[in-house]
Structures are given as structure tokens and as C-alpha cells.
Amino acid sequence: MASTTNSVVSHDHHELPPLCEKIPIKNNPNKAINLTTLLLLFSILLYRLLHLSEHGYPWLLAFLCESWFTFDFFLILNTKWTPVDFKTHPQTLLQRMGTELPAVDAFVTTADVAMEPPIMTANTVLSLLAVDYPAHKLACYVSDDGCSPLTLFSLIHAFEFARIWVPFCKKYGIQVRAPFRYFSIDIDDSVSPPDSDDSRERDSGGNFDQFQLEWKNMKEEYEKLKQKIEKAVNGAVPFECSGEYADFAYADKNDHSSIIKVIWENKENHPDSLPHLVYVSREKRPTTPHHYKAGAMNVLTRVSGVMTNAPFMLNVDCDMFVNNPNIILHAMCSFLGLNPQDCAFVQFPQVFYNELKDDPFGNQMVVGFEIVGRGMAGIQGPLYAGTGCFHRRKVIYNFCLDNADNKVNEDETFGNSKELMESVAKTFTEPVDGKNIDTIITSQDLSTMVQAAHQVARCDYEDGTTWGSKVGWKYGSMTEDLLTGMQIHAMGLKSVSCMPNPPGFLGIVPTSGPISMSQVKRWITGLLQILFSKNSPIFATLHAKLQFRQCLTYIWILIWGLRSIPTLCYAILPAYCIITNSSYLPKAHEPAMVLFLAQFVIENIENLSYFRRCGQSFRAWWNNLRMTKINAATSMLFGVVGFPLKLLGVSEIVFEVTQKESDESSTSSTKGTENFKGNDAANAGRFTFDESPMFVPPTTLLFVEVAALGLSLWEGGRDEVGLGEYLASVWVVMCFWPFVRGLFGKGKYGISLSTLLKSSCFSFIFIQLCRQASVHGW
């Protein structure tokens, strides 16, 4: 396939490389393998149909499961059929636009100081303040949904440190600008981006001793900052809600007025100063829905609208710091280098710095981003992942980029704030390149706009408006990010996947089984909320402008949780057949067995090839494969079962903040076990258990499989059971090996007694039902 390039090239700069190149990825061998796999799946279904009358219920159940697997494979095949990559050229952008770079408002969200340590948020903010971008073109807003004075305290003191940290980073060309991460690197490796010819301090006279001295002083200052924040968090120093913190004196996390503090304002609009820094804690009342993260993002959009009103917005979670100082330049290349009339947002993949070796919990998603991310990029663009994403304010306001059919004078759309409506009017008329738009929307200082910001941060401001439905981040799902991105694609707009080297952002991934599974369970609930609602991608294709192939990709993502049911049924089939002396696979000597064996081998070899291509090990492939089975029996299953219970009002939908490791406990490069100390180092990546009912189904499944194998050896006489059923049962036991270890583990590494008792009862009941089925010939 010939490589094509989409770019906007100025006649005055025709000798420069394009801002952004769209490069199709050749994958003809993979296409041939995928078509072979699809043909084998259809052949298996045809074989099942032709022999359905000759077999019992296990055959029928296997046919239904395999039909789902075939449908699922067809959907993902559509996604990865035309992968593309993008290459950006920031230096070209600087040469073309010079000082006319568009302004950017950066949003950082945090919700709970106990789950998301303030030092983590401070590091993320410091990395944003230090990016290579004109300071008067950047503003940073921090949303504190936990309404904690500790967050404000950490930001105020972090900014004081930023006064010396930012100049240090820019003077020496520091690559990693989150100080906790930077100071974990050896001093000899801590300067210069990887692609630079040499470090700046060596270029400027070779005075490396001066650099070492400043490095040590800077590290000492950061240690002081860290200790100051830790003492406040741990209560070692009395913390009084007075003065700057008086607004927190009578504030409750879920019942308080809005609190907005301008920590720093670049009043001179100097490009070499520091960007604006604003703290925002929106108003919350127990009787008013606050819509979780989506609500916080909409408040930030309005507050920034009346204060700075930048045409582009970046949102990051508090645990995801900037890893590439040119990140904004890369994003602007993506916006302005392709067709500016249809590029709505630029998504950077999630990459993690605390990843464990070989991905033991299958949650690092390296191959997932490779397949789905690049695949969607070749259709209508990648999905919005909720963090590490740049948006056009114009699109978030539901405006067409060509200004067709846009309306701005309706209070029922944006609310009754005069200041916000003025900023919306400016957004309406701005050019798609964001040039010539002032960073400040009025000649007044930011501090004079705080009152207007308080108005748009009220909990009742959205009453009678279309915020959350047509304007802003969308409500109606726990996965507001995917819903918002899909609605943008439904406008007929596209998104771009930006993968610079080094990665734009680095974040934290859960490093224990229960936390990872809780996260997946929340995702499943949110995805099903979208699938079974008016926001379904099917309606977006029929009644809006969502492309058909993009619709199929979204469907594949939304039905992720539903895969747990056929996966579990298929996993229990070998044990059922062994217990009941029946079969669901052809005998080993039958020619049809070749179909099943070939499909199994080819699919797994292809998946392994993806992992190897992404630099992952064989062990990482195996860990991801087994976690697919484990998640199907735990978090995915509970997410699916819990969804209808929530619809019926039996269970309540609750947004659970994922536990984050403190940055200071994750400073090492964790391609091994460097993060862990003592006994934990030997058990890094080992599955942990608690009293959660999610561990009952997989433990029950394991008991049933082992019991079936044991009964076949003890009783014998199973002439209908073939080699395939025995091998499949052993395969299931291997996939659930962490639970086998959990049977003999101690403490958090052992399955709890209550889980063992419940699983024993359920497995005994299942085996007895199987025996009854065998007696009645079911």
C-alpha cells in the first residue's frame, strides 16, 4: 500500500516538512492471517450447525458461544483493518507560526486526597508549568472535587518551587519535568532530550560542575517541598483553616460553596514568565447531582471560559505528568497540520511509568493501544480516553468548525452568565487555527473575573441549559470520556492519535489485582450505560454522522463486558462434559478436530506476534491472556450483572476513585521489582485477594474443573469424553493458576476462608446438577 500524506502546506514555506503526516501501516500478512481465522470460525459454526441434531445441549451452548466469538472477531477485524500512524514536526510549527501560537487552557482533575496524594497532583502541575510553550499562552486550572485545603496548600507551595524549577528545566533542557521522576534518574542521564545532540549545559561552556551544583540545590528544595506537603497531610504540623484557607473552615466534601483561588497570574503576559495557575473547587450540595468527573470538566470549561478562554484545552488526570516538554507543540501540529476543519481532538496514548515486569495484571494495554488506537486512527480517529487529550473549545461548545448553523445567543444553551456568553461569542468567531485570540478575554486581571467564575461554578448553574447533553462533557455514563468522544465523532468530526517519542504523558497503572478489577468493573458499567441508551452508537450512525466502521468499533468496545458470559460458559463446558460423559468437541481422530486446533493455534500465535512487535515478552502475552479469562469471571461479570440491578434501583451507581500509588513510592523504573521493598519484592506482580465476592466465581470454576478431572480419574468409564475436553479443562486450570496459588497462599496472597466456603458450596451444587442432567440425558 502506498504511503499517503495529508497536510496543510503554506506556499511561503513549501521547503519545510509538513506539520503532520498521516502514514498508513502496511499489514498484508496480518490481513491474510485474520481472514484465515475468520474463515476457520465460520467453518466451525457451519460444522456445528450440520451436526447439531446429533448432539445435546453442550453442542448447542458451544455453538452459541462460538457465534459470539465470531461476531466479536469480525468487529475487531474491522477496527484493525486499516491502521495508520501520525508523525508530527514541532520545529516546522515554530518556524511557521513564530509567536502566533494559539493559547491553551490545561485542566488537572483530582477528587480525593486520600486516594490521590497531593504530592502527586503537585508534580503533575509542575510538569505542566514547565512545558516548552510561551507562558502567556498557557493557563493551568486544577479541579479539586474533594474540596481539600491540602490540595490548595500543596499547589501554593508547589508554585513557589516552580519559580526556580521551571527556569532550571529550560536552562538545561531537562526532558522529564515532574521533579519526583526527574530526581529518581541518575544525574548523568537527567539532562537533554534523547534526540538532542548534546546537553545544553555542556554546550554553554562545558560547565558541568555548575550544573551538578544547581542539580543538588534543586533536589534539596524539592525535598523540602515534599516534606512540607507530607507533614501537612500526615497532621505532623497543625493545619488551620484561616487566612487563605478560611473558605474550607465549614466546607464538607459534598456540601460546600465554590472555592476559586488565583494562585498565580502572569499579569505582564510575558512569554518567559510562569503560566497562570488557578485552583477550582466547584459548589456541591447533597440534593443536586454533580455528575462526577464530567461535571467537574464542565465547570472547568466555564471557569476557564470567563477567565482565559483559550481556543484549545488539555485535560489530564492528577496522576499523569508531562513526559515530553514539546507536548503542546506536537498537539498543535496535529490540529493544524491535517485538515483543521474536521480535527476535533488529539489523543495521546496512556503510557505508565510504574508498570510491573511482564504486565502481570494485564492492565498496561500496550497491545490494546497498538491495535485499537492505530486501527481507529485509520477510520474516524481514536476514542477519547479521558486524560492526555487536547480538545477544541469550539467543538466542546457543540459548534461546527466551519461556523455553519452555530447559535450563541441562547441562554438555555450556555446559561445566564454575561461574561460566559461574551467568551462564547468570541469562541464562535475564532479561526480554526486559534491565531490572534487573546489569552485573556478582557483587559481586566484574572482576579477581577473570580466573581464571574463563582457564578458559573454554582451547582445549579446548569439548570435549564444543555450542559451535559449538547454542550460540554456528556452526562449519562460512568465512562463520560468515551461518550463525549463518540458524540464528537457523531458530529462528523475526526480525532488524531499522537504518539511522539518520548511519550507525551506518563501515568500510574494499578499494581494489585483487586484495584485493577474494581477499575474494570466501573468501566463495564459505564460502557453498558452507553450501549443501552439513546446515546448508542447505532443511533449516532442512523441519525447523525458517525461513520459505519467507527460505529462497529464503538460497539466492539461497549460490548466488552458482555463477552464475560460466553467466555464463562465456554470455560465451564469441559468440566460439564467430563462430569456428564458428553462432548462438545470432535474426537481427536476426526478430521473436524483440525478446524478447532488450527483456529486455536493461529489466533494465539497472532496475538503473541502483536506482543512481540510491541516489545513485550512471552510472559506478558500469557499474563494478558489469563487475565482476560480472570476478568471475565470477576470484574466483567459483576459489571454486567450489576448493570440491570442498577437500572431496577436494587443497586446504586457509585463513582469509585481508583486508588493511586503515591508518586514517591513509584520513582524507580519498574521494569522489574524496584518499587517494592522487603518481602513485597519477591511477590511483585503476584495476585492478591480480599473478601470481595468477585473472587467467588473464579474460585468456584477452578473447583469444578479440578473436581471434574479428579472424578474422571477416580471413576473412569467416560467413553464419550474425548481428548479435547480433557485438554480444554487443563487449559482453564492453567489460565486460573493465580487462584491455584491462592489456595495455598497466606495473608493477602491467599484466598479468604469465606470465599473458599462459598465456592465449595457452589461447586458442589453445580456438580450435583450435572449428575442429575446426566441421569436425565440432558
PDB file of all heavy atoms in Angstrom, residues 126-147:
ATOM      1  N   LEU A 126       3.448  20.861  38.212  1.00  0.00           N
ATOM      2  CA  LEU A 126       4.788  21.353  37.937  1.00  0.00           C
ATOM      3  C   LEU A 126       5.262  20.966  36.538  1.00  0.00           C
ATOM      4  O   LEU A 126       5.918  21.752  35.843  1.00  0.00           O
ATOM      5  CB  LEU A 126       5.761  20.811  38.991  1.00  0.00           C
ATOM      6  CG  LEU A 126       5.660  21.451  40.377  1.00  0.00           C
ATOM      7  CD1 LEU A 126       6.443  20.647  41.400  1.00  0.00           C
ATOM      8  CD2 LEU A 126       6.157  22.895  40.338  1.00  0.00           C
ATOM      9  N   SER A 127       4.927  19.756  36.117  1.00  0.00           N
ATOM     10  CA  SER A 127       5.330  19.333  34.774  1.00  0.00           C
ATOM     11  C   SER A 127       4.611  20.129  33.691  1.00  0.00           C
ATOM     12  O   SER A 127       5.168  20.370  32.617  1.00  0.00           O
ATOM     13  CB  SER A 127       5.050  17.830  34.593  1.00  0.00           C
ATOM     14  OG  SER A 127       3.657  17.555  34.512  1.00  0.00           O
ATOM     15  N   LEU A 128       3.381  20.558  33.971  1.00  0.00           N
ATOM     16  CA  LEU A 128       2.635  21.378  33.010  1.00  0.00           C
ATOM     17  C   LEU A 128       3.179  22.800  32.954  1.00  0.00           C
ATOM     18  O   LEU A 128       3.300  23.398  31.874  1.00  0.00           O
ATOM     19  CB  LEU A 128       1.146  21.400  33.385  1.00  0.00           C
ATOM     20  CG  LEU A 128       0.317  20.181  33.002  1.00  0.00           C
ATOM     21  CD1 LEU A 128      -1.040  20.224  33.691  1.00  0.00           C
ATOM     22  CD2 LEU A 128       0.135  20.120  31.485  1.00  0.00           C
ATOM     23  N   LEU A 129       3.501  23.363  34.106  1.00  0.00           N
ATOM     24  CA  LEU A 129       4.020  24.736  34.141  1.00  0.00           C
ATOM     25  C   LEU A 129       5.365  24.851  33.440  1.00  0.00           C
ATOM     26  O   LEU A 129       5.748  25.945  33.003  1.00  0.00           O
ATOM     27  CB  LEU A 129       4.148  25.207  35.591  1.00  0.00           C
ATOM     28  CG  LEU A 129       2.860  25.295  36.417  1.00  0.00           C
ATOM     29  CD1 LEU A 129       3.174  25.746  37.838  1.00  0.00           C
ATOM     30  CD2 LEU A 129       1.849  26.235  35.769  1.00  0.00           C
ATOM     31  N   ALA A 130       6.070  23.708  33.315  1.00  0.00           N
ATOM     32  CA  ALA A 130       7.427  23.745  32.781  1.00  0.00           C
ATOM     33  C   ALA A 130       7.517  23.357  31.309  1.00  0.00           C
ATOM     34  O   ALA A 130       8.624  23.202  30.786  1.00  0.00           O
ATOM     35  CB  ALA A 130       8.328  22.832  33.610  1.00  0.00           C
ATOM     36  N   VAL A 131       6.395  23.171  30.619  1.00  0.00           N
ATOM     37  CA  VAL A 131       6.462  22.767  29.216  1.00  0.00           C
ATOM     38  C   VAL A 131       7.091  23.864  28.365  1.00  0.00           C
ATOM     39  O   VAL A 131       7.093  25.046  28.736  1.00  0.00           O
ATOM     40  CB  VAL A 131       5.056  22.423  28.660  1.00  0.00           C
ATOM     41  CG1 VAL A 131       4.467  21.219  29.360  1.00  0.00           C
ATOM     42  CG2 VAL A 131       4.133  23.623  28.755  1.00  0.00           C
ATOM     43  N   ASP A 132       7.627  23.461  27.214  1.00  0.00           N
ATOM     44  CA  ASP A 132       8.226  24.425  26.287  1.00  0.00           C
ATOM     45  C   ASP A 132       7.134  25.065  25.445  1.00  0.00           C
ATOM     46  O   ASP A 132       6.824  24.616  24.330  1.00  0.00           O
ATOM     47  CB  ASP A 132       9.256  23.722  25.394  1.00  0.00           C
ATOM     48  CG  ASP A 132      10.521  23.369  26.141  1.00  0.00           C
ATOM     49  OD1 ASP A 132      10.809  24.043  27.143  1.00  0.00           O
ATOM     50  OD2 ASP A 132      11.209  22.413  25.747  1.00  0.00           O
ATOM     51  N   TYR A 133       6.539  26.116  26.008  1.00  0.00           N
ATOM     52  CA  TYR A 133       5.457  26.839  25.346  1.00  0.00           C
ATOM     53  C   TYR A 133       5.416  28.226  25.972  1.00  0.00           C
ATOM     54  O   TYR A 133       5.660  28.365  27.180  1.00  0.00           O
ATOM     55  CB  TYR A 133       4.119  26.110  25.545  1.00  0.00           C
ATOM     56  CG  TYR A 133       3.103  26.370  24.453  1.00  0.00           C
ATOM     57  CD1 TYR A 133       3.246  25.801  23.196  1.00  0.00           C
ATOM     58  CD2 TYR A 133       1.996  27.180  24.680  1.00  0.00           C
ATOM     59  CE1 TYR A 133       2.307  26.009  22.189  1.00  0.00           C
ATOM     60  CE2 TYR A 133       1.057  27.403  23.683  1.00  0.00           C
ATOM     61  CZ  TYR A 133       1.221  26.811  22.442  1.00  0.00           C
ATOM     62  OH  TYR A 133       0.303  27.043  21.442  1.00  0.00           O
ATOM     63  N   PRO A 134       5.107  29.254  25.194  1.00  0.00           N
ATOM     64  CA  PRO A 134       5.072  30.607  25.775  1.00  0.00           C
ATOM     65  C   PRO A 134       4.149  30.680  26.988  1.00  0.00           C
ATOM     66  O   PRO A 134       2.978  30.272  26.914  1.00  0.00           O
ATOM     67  CB  PRO A 134       4.551  31.464  24.618  1.00  0.00           C
ATOM     68  CG  PRO A 134       4.917  30.703  23.387  1.00  0.00           C
ATOM     69  CD  PRO A 134       4.805  29.259  23.750  1.00  0.00           C
ATOM     70  N   ALA A 135       4.662  31.180  28.100  1.00  0.00           N
ATOM     71  CA  ALA A 135       3.904  31.180  29.356  1.00  0.00           C
ATOM     72  C   ALA A 135       2.618  31.985  29.249  1.00  0.00           C
ATOM     73  O   ALA A 135       1.610  31.638  29.884  1.00  0.00           O
ATOM     74  CB  ALA A 135       4.770  31.724  30.488  1.00  0.00           C
ATOM     75  N   HIS A 136       2.618  33.054  28.451  1.00  0.00           N
ATOM     76  CA  HIS A 136       1.409  33.884  28.351  1.00  0.00           C
ATOM     77  C   HIS A 136       0.345  33.234  27.460  1.00  0.00           C
ATOM     78  O   HIS A 136      -0.754  33.765  27.335  1.00  0.00           O
ATOM     79  CB  HIS A 136       1.762  35.270  27.827  1.00  0.00           C
ATOM     80  CG  HIS A 136       2.234  35.284  26.401  1.00  0.00           C
ATOM     81  ND1 HIS A 136       3.344  34.598  25.974  1.00  0.00           N
ATOM     82  CD2 HIS A 136       1.736  35.914  25.306  1.00  0.00           C
ATOM     83  CE1 HIS A 136       3.519  34.789  24.673  1.00  0.00           C
ATOM     84  NE2 HIS A 136       2.558  35.594  24.250  1.00  0.00           N
ATOM     85  N   LYS A 137       0.687  32.090  26.874  1.00  0.00           N
ATOM     86  CA  LYS A 137      -0.276  31.354  26.058  1.00  0.00           C
ATOM     87  C   LYS A 137      -0.804  30.107  26.780  1.00  0.00           C
ATOM     88  O   LYS A 137      -1.477  29.284  26.190  1.00  0.00           O
ATOM     89  CB  LYS A 137       0.383  30.914  24.742  1.00  0.00           C
ATOM     90  CG  LYS A 137       0.808  32.052  23.837  1.00  0.00           C
ATOM     91  CD  LYS A 137      -0.383  32.696  23.154  1.00  0.00           C
ATOM     92  CE  LYS A 137       0.059  33.719  22.121  1.00  0.00           C
ATOM     93  NZ  LYS A 137      -1.097  34.304  21.401  1.00  0.00           N
ATOM     94  N   LEU A 138      -0.495  29.995  28.063  1.00  0.00           N
ATOM     95  CA  LEU A 138      -0.862  28.791  28.804  1.00  0.00           C
ATOM     96  C   LEU A 138      -1.440  29.160  30.164  1.00  0.00           C
ATOM     97  O   LEU A 138      -0.935  30.045  30.848  1.00  0.00           O
ATOM     98  CB  LEU A 138       0.366  27.890  28.990  1.00  0.00           C
ATOM     99  CG  LEU A 138       0.179  26.568  29.745  1.00  0.00           C
ATOM    100  CD1 LEU A 138      -0.799  25.659  29.008  1.00  0.00           C
ATOM    101  CD2 LEU A 138       1.516  25.868  29.927  1.00  0.00           C
ATOM    102  N   ALA A 139      -2.522  28.481  30.531  1.00  0.00           N
ATOM    103  CA  ALA A 139      -3.115  28.627  31.862  1.00  0.00           C
ATOM    104  C   ALA A 139      -3.419  27.241  32.406  1.00  0.00           C
ATOM    105  O   ALA A 139      -3.837  26.354  31.665  1.00  0.00           O
ATOM    106  CB  ALA A 139      -4.392  29.462  31.802  1.00  0.00           C
ATOM    107  N   CYS A 140      -3.187  27.052  33.694  1.00  0.00           N
ATOM    108  CA  CYS A 140      -3.399  25.749  34.329  1.00  0.00           C
ATOM    109  C   CYS A 140      -4.482  25.870  35.391  1.00  0.00           C
ATOM    110  O   CYS A 140      -4.377  26.693  36.305  1.00  0.00           O
ATOM    111  CB  CYS A 140      -2.102  25.242  34.946  1.00  0.00           C
ATOM    112  SG  CYS A 140      -2.247  23.608  35.723  1.00  0.00           S
ATOM    113  N   TYR A 141      -5.519  25.060  35.267  1.00  0.00           N
ATOM    114  CA  TYR A 141      -6.631  25.033  36.214  1.00  0.00           C
ATOM    115  C   TYR A 141      -6.654  23.662  36.895  1.00  0.00           C
ATOM    116  O   TYR A 141      -6.608  22.632  36.229  1.00  0.00           O
ATOM    117  CB  TYR A 141      -7.967  25.262  35.508  1.00  0.00           C
ATOM    118  CG  TYR A 141      -8.110  26.630  34.868  1.00  0.00           C
ATOM    119  CD1 TYR A 141      -7.582  26.886  33.606  1.00  0.00           C
ATOM    120  CD2 TYR A 141      -8.775  27.658  35.524  1.00  0.00           C
ATOM    121  CE1 TYR A 141      -7.706  28.131  33.012  1.00  0.00           C
ATOM    122  CE2 TYR A 141      -8.910  28.909  34.937  1.00  0.00           C
ATOM    123  CZ  TYR A 141      -8.373  29.138  33.680  1.00  0.00           C
ATOM    124  OH  TYR A 141      -8.505  30.377  33.100  1.00  0.00           O
ATOM    125  N   VAL A 142      -6.742  23.659  38.218  1.00  0.00           N
ATOM    126  CA  VAL A 142      -6.791  22.420  38.981  1.00  0.00           C
ATOM    127  C   VAL A 142      -8.163  22.294  39.623  1.00  0.00           C
ATOM    128  O   VAL A 142      -8.571  23.153  40.417  1.00  0.00           O
ATOM    129  CB  VAL A 142      -5.695  22.376  40.061  1.00  0.00           C
ATOM    130  CG1 VAL A 142      -5.780  21.067  40.845  1.00  0.00           C
ATOM    131  CG2 VAL A 142      -4.320  22.538  39.433  1.00  0.00           C
ATOM    132  N   SER A 143      -8.882  21.232  39.270  1.00  0.00           N
ATOM    133  CA  SER A 143     -10.195  20.972  39.853  1.00  0.00           C
ATOM    134  C   SER A 143     -10.049  20.026  41.034  1.00  0.00           C
ATOM    135  O   SER A 143      -9.574  18.895  40.874  1.00  0.00           O
ATOM    136  CB  SER A 143     -11.132  20.351  38.802  1.00  0.00           C
ATOM    137  OG  SER A 143     -12.327  19.886  39.410  1.00  0.00           O
ATOM    138  N   ASP A 144     -10.453  20.488  42.200  1.00  0.00           N
ATOM    139  CA  ASP A 144     -10.388  19.681  43.418  1.00  0.00           C
ATOM    140  C   ASP A 144     -11.806  19.300  43.821  1.00  0.00           C
ATOM    141  O   ASP A 144     -12.485  20.052  44.530  1.00  0.00           O
ATOM    142  CB  ASP A 144      -9.692  20.470  44.524  1.00  0.00           C
ATOM    143  CG  ASP A 144      -9.653  19.704  45.840  1.00  0.00           C
ATOM    144  OD1 ASP A 144      -9.816  18.466  45.800  1.00  0.00           O
ATOM    145  OD2 ASP A 144      -9.471  20.338  46.887  1.00  0.00           O
ATOM    146  N   ASP A 145     -12.249  18.133  43.378  1.00  0.00           N
ATOM    147  CA  ASP A 145     -13.602  17.685  43.710  1.00  0.00           C
ATOM    148  C   ASP A 145     -13.698  17.154  45.136  1.00  0.00           C
ATOM    149  O   ASP A 145     -14.795  16.827  45.593  1.00  0.00           O
ATOM    150  CB  ASP A 145     -14.063  16.612  42.716  1.00  0.00           C
ATOM    151  CG  ASP A 145     -15.191  17.112  41.821  1.00  0.00           C
ATOM    152  OD1 ASP A 145     -15.383  18.341  41.749  1.00  0.00           O
ATOM    153  OD2 ASP A 145     -15.886  16.284  41.211  1.00  0.00           O
ATOM    154  N   GLY A 146     -12.575  17.049  45.814  1.00  0.00           N
ATOM    155  CA  GLY A 146     -12.589  16.639  47.217  1.00  0.00           C
ATOM    156  C   GLY A 146     -12.639  17.817  48.161  1.00  0.00           C
ATOM    157  O   GLY A 146     -12.762  17.637  49.378  1.00  0.00           O
ATOM    158  N   CYS A 147     -12.557  19.047  47.618  1.00  0.00           N
ATOM    159  CA  CYS A 147     -12.607  20.275  48.406  1.00  0.00           C
ATOM    160  C   CYS A 147     -11.700  20.169  49.634  1.00  0.00           C
ATOM    161  O   CYS A 147     -12.130  20.326  50.770  1.00  0.00           O
ATOM    162  CB  CYS A 147     -14.042  20.583  48.833  1.00  0.00           C
ATOM    163  SG  CYS A 147     -14.254  22.235  49.554  1.00  0.00           S
TER     164      CYS A 147
END
